[in-house]
Amino acid sequence: SLTQRLAYFTGTAILMCGCWIIFSFIGATAGRAIPASIPLDFVVPITFLAMIAPALRTPAHVAAATVAVVVSLALAWLPAGVGPMIAAVLAMATGAGVETLILRRRARA
């Protein structure tokens, strides 16, 4: 029913928002205690890898991710934002091409 759905949403939102606020406060407070001599720049790429790696389930996904990484690194000398945009377009085209090849091979078999 609508009442049950609203109650479920409200309970979930309160729990998630509450945890977000509490742990953001803890992170901001504890983050000040970490000395500047400890480099934490590597944490951001590792976080993105942890989020993206489980999504790489098919050869098309792996090919697209590989092309995106390689082209982004190769075009790092371009002005900010241009390299990743080009890499994204090439990665999408690669993923679509690999998926098309896979579907054609399955159709022939």
Side-chain angles (χ1 to χ4, degrees):
S1 71
L2 180 60
T3 305
Q4 290 173 327
R5 289 181 185 176
L6 287 174
Y8 177 80
F9 173 77
T10 303
T12 304
I14 289 171
L15 180 67
M16 290 174 58
C17 290
C19 288
W20 181 277
I21 291 168
I22 290 168
F23 285 106
S24 292
F25 176 76
I26 291 171
T29 305
R32 292 182 188 151
I34 298 173
S37 62
I38 299 175
L40 294 176
D41 296 341
F42 67 92
V43 175
V44 174
I46 290 174
T47 303
F48 282 113
L49 285 174
M51 289 188 303
I52 292 171
L56 301 178
R57 296 183 180 154
T58 68
H61 291 130
V62 174
T66 303
V67 167
V69 169
V70 170
V71 173
S72 289
L73 292 174
L75 299 179
W77 56 272
L78 289 174
V82 176
M85 283 192 293
I86 294 170
V89 171
L90 292 176
M92 286 185 273
T94 301
V98 170
E99 189 70 28
T100 302
L101 286 174
I102 291 172
L103 292 174
R104 285 182 184 168
R105 286 184 183 169
R106 285 184 189 163
R108 289 181 191 164

